[in-house]
Amino acid sequence: RKEVEQDPGPFNVPEGATVAFNCTYSNSASQSFFWYRQDCRKEPKLLMSVYSSGNEDGRFTAQLNRASQYISLLIRDSKLSDSATYLCVYNAGNMLTFGGGTRLMVKP
Amino acid sequence: SQTIHQWPATLVQPVGSPLSLECTVEGTSNPNLYWYRQAAGRGLQLLFYSVGIGQISSEVPQNLSASRPQDRQFILSSKKLLLSDSGFYLCAWSVPLGVAGGEQFFGPGTRLTVL
């Protein structure tokens, strides 16, 4: 079983749509969680941290369910510029473990 | 603010040639430093990490090595490149564990093609 599992997609959605990604992780000792965004042929960039109580940053909402070991990312009112690959990540100790990413394509 | 630099941005090398990729961080002290490789269409694979000068931990056995000669400098090397070494090499930094949540920040990467 992979340490972090994500649906690779692609998710093809129209502008303005709401889209949700889920991710499951296997390491119950994971301490903190993140979503990164990676544009084609670019480096990953931190999108947001994920807190147990859930957190929101503008159009983006992240949720963590430790009991079920899954993390979610909700994007509302999708923009063309949201097209990218979204990486689910957890931290255990000094190490980050990355999922393979979910590709999102927002169409006009 | 902190910035991280990597060079070169792209590199084409023949099989069997040596490799040296450099990464430097500005605006922070005693960072944790990391080298990752991302093969085409694949996820990130951690290669090496360092918590201080001269301290290197290897995650994957291979023909690559890393060195940290200065606090904010991290170098990835190879004596003889293989075709399978092709990929996107990313350097990252983080503050030491316990200071923050462990977020890592990536440099712009080096795209290496071995022919």
Side-chain angles (χ1 to χ4, degrees), chain A residues 67-97:
Chain A
S68 301
Q69 296 187 199
Y70 82 79
I71 307 156
S72 64
L73 177 68
L74 182 78
I75 305 175
R76 290 181 298 279
D77 188 24
S78 300
K79 311 292 185 190
L80 294 176
S81 58
D82 293 334
S83 297
T85 296
Y86 291 83
L87 307 174
C88 173
V89 185
Y90 74 76
N91 177 31
N94 269 318
M95 300 301 120
L96 292 187
T97 299

PDB file of all heavy atoms in Angstrom, chain A residues 67-97:
ATOM      1  N   ALA A  67      -8.965   9.925  12.389  1.00  0.00           N
ATOM      2  CA  ALA A  67      -9.507   8.592  12.681  1.00  0.00           C
ATOM      3  C   ALA A  67      -9.560   7.739  11.417  1.00  0.00           C
ATOM      4  O   ALA A  67      -9.247   6.553  11.428  1.00  0.00           O
ATOM      5  CB  ALA A  67     -10.900   8.717  13.291  1.00  0.00           C
ATOM      6  N   SER A  68      -9.948   8.357  10.304  1.00  0.00           N
ATOM      7  CA  SER A  68     -10.043   7.646   9.037  1.00  0.00           C
ATOM      8  C   SER A  68      -8.792   7.807   8.183  1.00  0.00           C
ATOM      9  O   SER A  68      -8.702   7.225   7.107  1.00  0.00           O
ATOM     10  CB  SER A  68     -11.261   8.137   8.243  1.00  0.00           C
ATOM     11  OG  SER A  68     -12.437   7.936   8.991  1.00  0.00           O
ATOM     12  N   GLN A  69      -7.868   8.625   8.653  1.00  0.00           N
ATOM     13  CA  GLN A  69      -6.599   8.864   7.966  1.00  0.00           C
ATOM     14  C   GLN A  69      -6.823   9.369   6.539  1.00  0.00           C
ATOM     15  O   GLN A  69      -6.280   8.801   5.577  1.00  0.00           O
ATOM     16  CB  GLN A  69      -5.696   7.615   8.016  1.00  0.00           C
ATOM     17  CG  GLN A  69      -5.283   7.272   9.440  1.00  0.00           C
ATOM     18  CD  GLN A  69      -4.262   6.147   9.535  1.00  0.00           C
ATOM     19  OE1 GLN A  69      -4.113   5.543  10.575  1.00  0.00           O
ATOM     20  NE2 GLN A  69      -3.567   5.859   8.475  1.00  0.00           N
ATOM     21  N   TYR A  70      -7.637  10.422   6.436  1.00  0.00           N
ATOM     22  CA  TYR A  70      -7.734  11.043   5.126  1.00  0.00           C
ATOM     23  C   TYR A  70      -7.758  12.561   5.260  1.00  0.00           C
ATOM     24  O   TYR A  70      -8.104  13.128   6.297  1.00  0.00           O
ATOM     25  CB  TYR A  70      -8.906  10.515   4.302  1.00  0.00           C
ATOM     26  CG  TYR A  70     -10.252  11.119   4.586  1.00  0.00           C
ATOM     27  CD1 TYR A  70     -10.608  12.370   4.075  1.00  0.00           C
ATOM     28  CD2 TYR A  70     -11.194  10.415   5.318  1.00  0.00           C
ATOM     29  CE1 TYR A  70     -11.849  12.915   4.326  1.00  0.00           C
ATOM     30  CE2 TYR A  70     -12.448  10.950   5.558  1.00  0.00           C
ATOM     31  CZ  TYR A  70     -12.766  12.194   5.069  1.00  0.00           C
ATOM     32  OH  TYR A  70     -14.010  12.722   5.316  1.00  0.00           O
ATOM     33  N   ILE A  71      -7.370  13.190   4.155  1.00  0.00           N
ATOM     34  CA  ILE A  71      -7.285  14.636   4.054  1.00  0.00           C
ATOM     35  C   ILE A  71      -8.060  15.040   2.808  1.00  0.00           C
ATOM     36  O   ILE A  71      -8.065  14.305   1.821  1.00  0.00           O
ATOM     37  CB  ILE A  71      -5.816  15.076   3.883  1.00  0.00           C
ATOM     38  CG1 ILE A  71      -4.937  14.494   4.979  1.00  0.00           C
ATOM     39  CG2 ILE A  71      -5.691  16.589   3.885  1.00  0.00           C
ATOM     40  CD1 ILE A  71      -3.494  14.397   4.552  1.00  0.00           C
ATOM     41  N   SER A  72      -8.691  16.178   2.867  1.00  0.00           N
ATOM     42  CA  SER A  72      -9.427  16.636   1.694  1.00  0.00           C
ATOM     43  C   SER A  72      -9.084  18.085   1.392  1.00  0.00           C
ATOM     44  O   SER A  72      -8.633  18.839   2.253  1.00  0.00           O
ATOM     45  CB  SER A  72     -10.935  16.494   1.915  1.00  0.00           C
ATOM     46  OG  SER A  72     -11.352  17.344   2.964  1.00  0.00           O
ATOM     47  N   LEU A  73      -9.280  18.439   0.137  1.00  0.00           N
ATOM     48  CA  LEU A  73      -9.114  19.826  -0.323  1.00  0.00           C
ATOM     49  C   LEU A  73     -10.315  20.158  -1.184  1.00  0.00           C
ATOM     50  O   LEU A  73     -10.623  19.434  -2.130  1.00  0.00           O
ATOM     51  CB  LEU A  73      -7.828  19.990  -1.132  1.00  0.00           C
ATOM     52  CG  LEU A  73      -7.593  21.386  -1.725  1.00  0.00           C
ATOM     53  CD1 LEU A  73      -7.314  22.392  -0.603  1.00  0.00           C
ATOM     54  CD2 LEU A  73      -6.425  21.358  -2.707  1.00  0.00           C
ATOM     55  N   LEU A  74     -10.985  21.237  -0.835  1.00  0.00           N
ATOM     56  CA  LEU A  74     -12.145  21.702  -1.586  1.00  0.00           C
ATOM     57  C   LEU A  74     -11.795  23.033  -2.237  1.00  0.00           C
ATOM     58  O   LEU A  74     -11.292  23.933  -1.559  1.00  0.00           O
ATOM     59  CB  LEU A  74     -13.346  21.874  -0.645  1.00  0.00           C
ATOM     60  CG  LEU A  74     -14.657  22.310  -1.288  1.00  0.00           C
ATOM     61  CD1 LEU A  74     -15.313  21.114  -1.978  1.00  0.00           C
ATOM     62  CD2 LEU A  74     -15.610  22.887  -0.243  1.00  0.00           C
ATOM     63  N   ILE A  75     -12.041  23.138  -3.518  1.00  0.00           N
ATOM     64  CA  ILE A  75     -11.813  24.398  -4.233  1.00  0.00           C
ATOM     65  C   ILE A  75     -13.159  24.881  -4.757  1.00  0.00           C
ATOM     66  O   ILE A  75     -13.833  24.183  -5.528  1.00  0.00           O
ATOM     67  CB  ILE A  75     -10.835  24.217  -5.418  1.00  0.00           C
ATOM     68  CG1 ILE A  75      -9.517  23.595  -4.939  1.00  0.00           C
ATOM     69  CG2 ILE A  75     -10.582  25.561  -6.098  1.00  0.00           C
ATOM     70  CD1 ILE A  75      -8.546  23.284  -6.061  1.00  0.00           C
ATOM     71  N   ARG A  76     -13.541  26.061  -4.321  1.00  0.00           N
ATOM     72  CA  ARG A  76     -14.811  26.643  -4.780  1.00  0.00           C
ATOM     73  C   ARG A  76     -14.547  27.648  -5.886  1.00  0.00           C
ATOM     74  O   ARG A  76     -13.462  28.237  -5.968  1.00  0.00           O
ATOM     75  CB  ARG A  76     -15.505  27.348  -3.617  1.00  0.00           C
ATOM     76  CG  ARG A  76     -16.048  26.429  -2.547  1.00  0.00           C
ATOM     77  CD  ARG A  76     -16.744  27.244  -1.436  1.00  0.00           C
ATOM     78  NE  ARG A  76     -15.804  28.150  -0.779  1.00  0.00           N
ATOM     79  CZ  ARG A  76     -14.960  27.789   0.176  1.00  0.00           C
ATOM     80  NH1 ARG A  76     -14.951  26.545   0.603  1.00  0.00           N
ATOM     81  NH2 ARG A  76     -14.142  28.666   0.705  1.00  0.00           N
ATOM     82  N   ASP A  77     -15.552  27.850  -6.735  1.00  0.00           N
ATOM     83  CA  ASP A  77     -15.471  28.863  -7.792  1.00  0.00           C
ATOM     84  C   ASP A  77     -14.147  28.735  -8.564  1.00  0.00           C
ATOM     85  O   ASP A  77     -13.341  29.676  -8.624  1.00  0.00           O
ATOM     86  CB  ASP A  77     -15.600  30.261  -7.170  1.00  0.00           C
ATOM     87  CG  ASP A  77     -15.723  31.362  -8.214  1.00  0.00           C
ATOM     88  OD1 ASP A  77     -16.153  31.048  -9.342  1.00  0.00           O
ATOM     89  OD2 ASP A  77     -15.376  32.518  -7.904  1.00  0.00           O
ATOM     90  N   SER A  78     -13.915  27.570  -9.142  1.00  0.00           N
ATOM     91  CA  SER A  78     -12.644  27.271  -9.816  1.00  0.00           C
ATOM     92  C   SER A  78     -12.304  28.320 -10.865  1.00  0.00           C
ATOM     93  O   SER A  78     -13.167  28.793 -11.619  1.00  0.00           O
ATOM     94  CB  SER A  78     -12.729  25.910 -10.500  1.00  0.00           C
ATOM     95  OG  SER A  78     -12.978  24.890  -9.576  1.00  0.00           O
ATOM     96  N   LYS A  79     -11.035  28.657 -10.902  1.00  0.00           N
ATOM     97  CA  LYS A  79     -10.501  29.582 -11.913  1.00  0.00           C
ATOM     98  C   LYS A  79      -9.603  28.813 -12.878  1.00  0.00           C
ATOM     99  O   LYS A  79      -9.050  27.761 -12.534  1.00  0.00           O
ATOM    100  CB  LYS A  79      -9.655  30.680 -11.239  1.00  0.00           C
ATOM    101  CG  LYS A  79     -10.301  31.373 -10.055  1.00  0.00           C
ATOM    102  CD  LYS A  79     -11.463  32.216 -10.468  1.00  0.00           C
ATOM    103  CE  LYS A  79     -12.017  32.987  -9.257  1.00  0.00           C
ATOM    104  NZ  LYS A  79     -13.316  33.639  -9.585  1.00  0.00           N
ATOM    105  N   LEU A  80      -9.428  29.377 -14.063  1.00  0.00           N
ATOM    106  CA  LEU A  80      -8.512  28.753 -15.027  1.00  0.00           C
ATOM    107  C   LEU A  80      -7.129  28.580 -14.417  1.00  0.00           C
ATOM    108  O   LEU A  80      -6.434  27.586 -14.658  1.00  0.00           O
ATOM    109  CB  LEU A  80      -8.422  29.598 -16.297  1.00  0.00           C
ATOM    110  CG  LEU A  80      -9.691  29.717 -17.141  1.00  0.00           C
ATOM    111  CD1 LEU A  80      -9.460  30.662 -18.311  1.00  0.00           C
ATOM    112  CD2 LEU A  80     -10.149  28.354 -17.646  1.00  0.00           C
ATOM    113  N   SER A  81      -6.731  29.557 -13.601  1.00  0.00           N
ATOM    114  CA  SER A  81      -5.398  29.535 -12.982  1.00  0.00           C
ATOM    115  C   SER A  81      -5.248  28.475 -11.905  1.00  0.00           C
ATOM    116  O   SER A  81      -4.142  28.255 -11.408  1.00  0.00           O
ATOM    117  CB  SER A  81      -5.082  30.913 -12.389  1.00  0.00           C
ATOM    118  OG  SER A  81      -6.073  31.275 -11.440  1.00  0.00           O
ATOM    119  N   ASP A  82      -6.350  27.815 -11.529  1.00  0.00           N
ATOM    120  CA  ASP A  82      -6.252  26.718 -10.565  1.00  0.00           C
ATOM    121  C   ASP A  82      -5.752  25.431 -11.220  1.00  0.00           C
ATOM    122  O   ASP A  82      -5.444  24.457 -10.530  1.00  0.00           O
ATOM    123  CB  ASP A  82      -7.612  26.440  -9.914  1.00  0.00           C
ATOM    124  CG  ASP A  82      -8.089  27.584  -9.029  1.00  0.00           C
ATOM    125  OD1 ASP A  82      -7.241  28.337  -8.509  1.00  0.00           O
ATOM    126  OD2 ASP A  82      -9.320  27.731  -8.876  1.00  0.00           O
ATOM    127  N   SER A  83      -5.680  25.405 -12.530  1.00  0.00           N
ATOM    128  CA  SER A  83      -5.209  24.214 -13.240  1.00  0.00           C
ATOM    129  C   SER A  83      -3.774  23.909 -12.826  1.00  0.00           C
ATOM    130  O   SER A  83      -2.878  24.747 -12.983  1.00  0.00           O
ATOM    131  CB  SER A  83      -5.273  24.418 -14.757  1.00  0.00           C
ATOM    132  OG  SER A  83      -6.610  24.620 -15.177  1.00  0.00           O
ATOM    133  N   ALA A  84      -3.576  22.726 -12.268  1.00  0.00           N
ATOM    134  CA  ALA A  84      -2.271  22.347 -11.724  1.00  0.00           C
ATOM    135  C   ALA A  84      -2.412  20.930 -11.180  1.00  0.00           C
ATOM    136  O   ALA A  84      -3.483  20.328 -11.224  1.00  0.00           O
ATOM    137  CB  ALA A  84      -1.838  23.296 -10.601  1.00  0.00           C
ATOM    138  N   THR A  85      -1.320  20.420 -10.628  1.00  0.00           N
ATOM    139  CA  THR A  85      -1.359  19.155  -9.897  1.00  0.00           C
ATOM    140  C   THR A  85      -1.288  19.467  -8.414  1.00  0.00           C
ATOM    141  O   THR A  85      -0.456  20.273  -7.979  1.00  0.00           O
ATOM    142  CB  THR A  85      -0.183  18.253 -10.313  1.00  0.00           C
ATOM    143  OG1 THR A  85      -0.323  17.925 -11.692  1.00  0.00           O
ATOM    144  CG2 THR A  85      -0.180  16.966  -9.499  1.00  0.00           C
ATOM    145  N   TYR A  86      -2.162  18.846  -7.638  1.00  0.00           N
ATOM    146  CA  TYR A  86      -2.249  19.102  -6.202  1.00  0.00           C
ATOM    147  C   TYR A  86      -1.690  17.895  -5.451  1.00  0.00           C
ATOM    148  O   TYR A  86      -2.150  16.766  -5.628  1.00  0.00           O
ATOM    149  CB  TYR A  86      -3.695  19.401  -5.808  1.00  0.00           C
ATOM    150  CG  TYR A  86      -4.128  20.744  -6.370  1.00  0.00           C
ATOM    151  CD1 TYR A  86      -4.589  20.847  -7.682  1.00  0.00           C
ATOM    152  CD2 TYR A  86      -4.013  21.908  -5.609  1.00  0.00           C
ATOM    153  CE1 TYR A  86      -4.942  22.084  -8.217  1.00  0.00           C
ATOM    154  CE2 TYR A  86      -4.367  23.139  -6.142  1.00  0.00           C
ATOM    155  CZ  TYR A  86      -4.825  23.217  -7.443  1.00  0.00           C
ATOM    156  OH  TYR A  86      -5.166  24.441  -7.977  1.00  0.00           O
ATOM    157  N   LEU A  87      -0.684  18.164  -4.637  1.00  0.00           N
ATOM    158  CA  LEU A  87       0.028  17.112  -3.915  1.00  0.00           C
ATOM    159  C   LEU A  87      -0.399  17.083  -2.459  1.00  0.00           C
ATOM    160  O   LEU A  87      -0.355  18.105  -1.775  1.00  0.00           O
ATOM    161  CB  LEU A  87       1.543  17.362  -3.995  1.00  0.00           C
ATOM    162  CG  LEU A  87       2.145  17.560  -5.383  1.00  0.00           C
ATOM    163  CD1 LEU A  87       3.618  17.937  -5.276  1.00  0.00           C
ATOM    164  CD2 LEU A  87       2.000  16.286  -6.193  1.00  0.00           C
ATOM    165  N   CYS A  88      -0.782  15.914  -2.005  1.00  0.00           N
ATOM    166  CA  CYS A  88      -1.132  15.693  -0.601  1.00  0.00           C
ATOM    167  C   CYS A  88       0.143  15.262   0.117  1.00  0.00           C
ATOM    168  O   CYS A  88       0.879  14.389  -0.383  1.00  0.00           O
ATOM    169  CB  CYS A  88      -2.195  14.599  -0.555  1.00  0.00           C
ATOM    170  SG  CYS A  88      -2.645  14.012   1.068  1.00  0.00           S
ATOM    171  N   VAL A  89       0.426  15.854   1.263  1.00  0.00           N
ATOM    172  CA  VAL A  89       1.722  15.647   1.916  1.00  0.00           C
ATOM    173  C   VAL A  89       1.536  15.511   3.420  1.00  0.00           C
ATOM    174  O   VAL A  89       0.749  16.250   4.016  1.00  0.00           O
ATOM    175  CB  VAL A  89       2.652  16.856   1.647  1.00  0.00           C
ATOM    176  CG1 VAL A  89       4.047  16.609   2.204  1.00  0.00           C
ATOM    177  CG2 VAL A  89       2.721  17.174   0.158  1.00  0.00           C
ATOM    178  N   TYR A  90       2.276  14.590   4.038  1.00  0.00           N
ATOM    179  CA  TYR A  90       2.306  14.574   5.493  1.00  0.00           C
ATOM    180  C   TYR A  90       3.738  14.623   5.990  1.00  0.00           C
ATOM    181  O   TYR A  90       4.676  14.276   5.278  1.00  0.00           O
ATOM    182  CB  TYR A  90       1.543  13.385   6.077  1.00  0.00           C
ATOM    183  CG  TYR A  90       2.209  12.029   5.949  1.00  0.00           C
ATOM    184  CD1 TYR A  90       3.275  11.654   6.770  1.00  0.00           C
ATOM    185  CD2 TYR A  90       1.739  11.096   5.026  1.00  0.00           C
ATOM    186  CE1 TYR A  90       3.863  10.411   6.658  1.00  0.00           C
ATOM    187  CE2 TYR A  90       2.319   9.850   4.916  1.00  0.00           C
ATOM    188  CZ  TYR A  90       3.385   9.514   5.730  1.00  0.00           C
ATOM    189  OH  TYR A  90       3.956   8.272   5.617  1.00  0.00           O
ATOM    190  N   ASN A  91       3.880  15.071   7.233  1.00  0.00           N
ATOM    191  CA  ASN A  91       5.187  15.203   7.864  1.00  0.00           C
ATOM    192  C   ASN A  91       5.261  14.260   9.056  1.00  0.00           C
ATOM    193  O   ASN A  91       4.396  14.294   9.925  1.00  0.00           O
ATOM    194  CB  ASN A  91       5.379  16.638   8.325  1.00  0.00           C
ATOM    195  CG  ASN A  91       6.697  16.830   9.050  1.00  0.00           C
ATOM    196  OD1 ASN A  91       7.677  16.156   8.761  1.00  0.00           O
ATOM    197  ND2 ASN A  91       6.725  17.729  10.007  1.00  0.00           N
ATOM    198  N   ALA A  92       6.283  13.423   9.073  1.00  0.00           N
ATOM    199  CA  ALA A  92       6.558  12.582  10.239  1.00  0.00           C
ATOM    200  C   ALA A  92       8.032  12.774  10.563  1.00  0.00           C
ATOM    201  O   ALA A  92       8.884  12.355   9.799  1.00  0.00           O
ATOM    202  CB  ALA A  92       6.254  11.114   9.937  1.00  0.00           C
ATOM    203  N   GLY A  93       8.329  13.458  11.681  1.00  0.00           N
ATOM    204  CA  GLY A  93       9.718  13.805  11.964  1.00  0.00           C
ATOM    205  C   GLY A  93      10.165  14.910  11.025  1.00  0.00           C
ATOM    206  O   GLY A  93       9.407  15.825  10.726  1.00  0.00           O
ATOM    207  N   ASN A  94      11.371  14.829  10.537  1.00  0.00           N
ATOM    208  CA  ASN A  94      11.892  15.845   9.630  1.00  0.00           C
ATOM    209  C   ASN A  94      11.496  15.610   8.180  1.00  0.00           C
ATOM    210  O   ASN A  94      11.858  16.377   7.302  1.00  0.00           O
ATOM    211  CB  ASN A  94      13.424  15.853   9.689  1.00  0.00           C
ATOM    212  CG  ASN A  94      13.954  16.815  10.729  1.00  0.00           C
ATOM    213  OD1 ASN A  94      13.453  17.921  10.868  1.00  0.00           O
ATOM    214  ND2 ASN A  94      14.940  16.382  11.476  1.00  0.00           N
ATOM    215  N   MET A  95      10.761  14.523   7.922  1.00  0.00           N
ATOM    216  CA  MET A  95      10.529  14.084   6.553  1.00  0.00           C
ATOM    217  C   MET A  95       9.120  14.397   6.072  1.00  0.00           C
ATOM    218  O   MET A  95       8.144  14.208   6.806  1.00  0.00           O
ATOM    219  CB  MET A  95      10.725  12.578   6.453  1.00  0.00           C
ATOM    220  CG  MET A  95      12.108  12.115   6.844  1.00  0.00           C
ATOM    221  SD  MET A  95      13.364  12.876   5.811  1.00  0.00           S
ATOM    222  CE  MET A  95      14.295  13.725   7.060  1.00  0.00           C
ATOM    223  N   LEU A  96       9.031  14.827   4.841  1.00  0.00           N
ATOM    224  CA  LEU A  96       7.735  14.942   4.181  1.00  0.00           C
ATOM    225  C   LEU A  96       7.561  13.750   3.263  1.00  0.00           C
ATOM    226  O   LEU A  96       8.503  13.309   2.604  1.00  0.00           O
ATOM    227  CB  LEU A  96       7.650  16.218   3.339  1.00  0.00           C
ATOM    228  CG  LEU A  96       7.643  17.550   4.066  1.00  0.00           C
ATOM    229  CD1 LEU A  96       7.369  18.686   3.075  1.00  0.00           C
ATOM    230  CD2 LEU A  96       6.620  17.566   5.187  1.00  0.00           C
ATOM    231  N   THR A  97       6.351  13.201   3.235  1.00  0.00           N
ATOM    232  CA  THR A  97       6.005  12.139   2.300  1.00  0.00           C
ATOM    233  C   THR A  97       4.936  12.677   1.368  1.00  0.00           C
ATOM    234  O   THR A  97       3.905  13.182   1.824  1.00  0.00           O
ATOM    235  CB  THR A  97       5.504  10.895   3.041  1.00  0.00           C
ATOM    236  OG1 THR A  97       6.548  10.406   3.894  1.00  0.00           O
ATOM    237  CG2 THR A  97       5.125   9.799   2.057  1.00  0.00           C
TER     238      THR A  97
END
